[in-house]
Amino acid sequence: MSSVTPRGAATPAAATRMRSEDRRELVLAAATAVFGERGYFGATTDQVAKAAGVSQPYVVRMFGSKEELFLAVVGRALERLLATFRSAIAEAGPAGSSGVTAVTDRMAQSYAELLADRGLLLSLMHGFLLGTEPVIGERMRDGFGQIYALLRDEAGLSPEEARVFLADGMLLNTLVSLQLAREVDTDAAFAELLACALPTKLDLIRGLGTAR
Amino acid sequence: MSSVTPRGAATPAAATRMRSEDRRELVLAAATAVFGERGYFGATTDQVAKAAGVSQPYVVRMFGSKEELFLAVVGRALERLLATFRSAIAEAGPAGSSGVTAVTDRMAQSYAELLADRGLLLSLMHGFLLGTEPVIGERMRDGFGQIYALLRDEAGLSPEEARVFLADGMLLNTLVSLQLAREVDTDAAFAELLACALPTKLDLIRGLGTAR
DNA sequence: GTCTATAGGGCGATAGAC
DNA sequence: GTCTATCGCCCTATAGAC
């Protein structure tokens, strides 16, 4: 499949030799998944290390501390979220040109697609719930402000339209994290809610709920 | 102020002698506040104990384990939430009778008032984000299902109306937890969003944001 | 019923070899 | 750059006195 370096063979699990930048990205992706599931406090640097196939002290060394690792995770998540929204806006044009629903629908679709990036949106969500943490809270307020500014200034949404869009996003995060899809086959009410909240993405959510 | 028992004087801080049921309620209220701020993993039984003015081992003894304490907290929170909604429905009548907005507005007002109970809604919110936890996750799915069932069957909302109501609630929780109100005076965008998301409750939120 | 003392385990971070 | 070994703290839970 992928190229194996001359030194190969003795290196850990999934990770054969690679550029340090790639390895940093690998650890960030692993950390995103772990923080997304258990939150900042619930996740351990050892869980991240095992998920990335490196040693626990190396994870800490790489980022300085667990808190800085979390800040890097949410920073990266925010970057991707904003970039994805900008692509959507570029495709659909801002709200002024061809109606509001063109942009919001396109952005909502982008948002749902970001769910495929395991833990990315849920790491942000966990962060949003830690507003009283001195460092993390400040960072999350700033990030939330960037999202709101994009919706207003770049997507061209009104305050009310932006509010509704954000509310839908928060519900989506909650439903995914709750893994409601787990009982979608046995609970008619959950099936009804999910069908309503995720018109076209039921299969995607179902996949996320079971793949553990 | 309140009655002091004969033994008084030597007992801890805020808590003079009281019935064990009252003390259990005191600990539950303290735990609700702590779990609401830091979540299940971030909260420690010692923080709960200090907030309640009792010893840490006593908190554990009382509920068996930290996990059972959390389950008691979210169980109590859910009870109160459902009871509050039922009062609102009783006052406004279900959606069929006098239009949908009568019930939803009354329930939304009730919901905002529950924010005064420190940590009650945020403990639930933290729980919703732990859907992958075996015991807690199952309990939270069940609780969420109860809320949805109430909105549909008792409040008489359509699936779409229930979805919008839930989405607004999730955004409200997020904004409160983020403590966006903290910067409402220096950040015009935050002020705009909060004014839009919390039409009549800006002062309430402001109070929550600063009182720490 | 409630406390003090403490055991036992896990976690983040550091030291130092390779 | 990455690992192994390990320290020291903090946290949950138990034991046992009052």
Side-chain angles (χ1 to χ4, degrees), chain B residues 92-204:
Chain B
S97 53
S98 60
V100 176
T101 55
V103 215
T104 52
D105 284 359
R106 188 64 193 76
M107 285 194 300
Q109 189 188 331
S110 301
Y111 194 80
E113 283 164 9
L114 278 178
L115 290 171
D117 199 332
R118 264 252 182 279
L120 192 131
L121 296 176
L122 296 185
S123 288
L124 284 174
M125 195 67 190
H126 269 113
F128 290 148
L129 288 190
L130 294 182
T132 62
E133 287 297 300
V135 180
I136 293 175
E138 192 57 42
R139 182 68 241 273
M140 299 313 299
R141 277 187 288 279
D142 184 66
F144 197 88
Q146 288 183 49
I147 298 173
Y148 185 70
L150 181 143
L151 294 178
R152 293 276 285 119
D153 304 335
E154 300 184 43
L157 301 188
S158 71
E160 173 65 14
E161 287 159 357
R163 201 212 90 227
V164 170
F165 186 84
L166 286 170
D168 288 348
M170 298 303 119
L171 177 60
L172 203 62
N173 291 343
T174 307
L175 296 179
V176 169
S177 187
L178 253 185
Q179 299 196 271
L180 270 206
R182 213 185 241 210
E183 299 181 9
V184 77
D185 297 317
T186 59
D187 190 313
F190 286 161
E192 178 185 281
L193 172 59
L194 287 176
C196 173
L198 306 153
T200 63
K201 299 294 168 187
L202 231 178
D203 52 339
L204 191 152

Side-chain angles (χ1 to χ4, degrees), chain A residues 52-212:
Chain A
V54 299
S55 71
Q56 176 269 328
Y58 185 40
V59 170
V60 174
R61 275 293 195 91
M62 226 172 177
F63 293 89
S65 69
K66 180 184 173 181
E67 187 175 65
E68 288 183 87
L69 171 59
F70 185 75
L71 292 174
V73 163
V74 294
R76 171 177 167 280
L78 196 70
E79 260 177 38
R80 297 205 175 177
L81 179 63
L82 295 174
T84 303
F85 280 167
R86 289 199 171 100
S87 301
I89 295 168
E91 284 180 33
S97 53
S98 61
V100 176
T101 55
V103 216
T104 52
D105 283 359
R106 187 64 192 78
M107 285 195 299
Q109 189 188 331
S110 302
Y111 194 80
E113 282 164 11
L114 279 177
L115 289 172
D117 199 333
R118 263 256 182 279
L120 191 130
L121 297 176
L122 295 185
S123 289
L124 284 174
M125 195 65 190
H126 269 112
F128 290 148
L129 287 191
L130 294 182
T132 63
E133 287 297 300
V135 180
I136 293 175
E138 192 57 42
R139 183 68 241 274
M140 299 314 298
R141 278 186 288 279
D142 184 66
F144 197 88
Q146 287 183 52
I147 297 173
Y148 186 71
L150 180 143
L151 295 178
R152 293 275 287 118
D153 303 336
E154 299 183 47
L157 302 189
S158 71
E160 173 64 13
E161 288 159 357
R163 200 211 92 227
V164 169
F165 186 84
L166 287 171
D168 287 348
M170 298 302 119
L171 177 61
L172 203 62
N173 291 342
T174 307
L175 296 180
V176 170
S177 187
L178 253 185
Q179 300 196 273
L180 270 206
R182 210 186 246 212
E183 301 183 7
V184 77
D185 296 317
T186 58
D187 191 314
F190 286 161
E192 178 185 282
L193 172 59
L194 287 175
C196 174
L198 306 152
T200 63
K201 298 293 169 187
L202 231 177
D203 52 338
L204 192 152
I205 294 292
R206 188 190 299 256
L208 290 179
T210 53
R212 268 188 52 76

Side-chain angles (χ1 to χ4, degrees), chain B residues 4 10 14 33 60 62 82 85 126 149:
Chain B
V4 176
V60 175
M62 227 172 174
L82 295 174
F85 280 168
H126 269 113

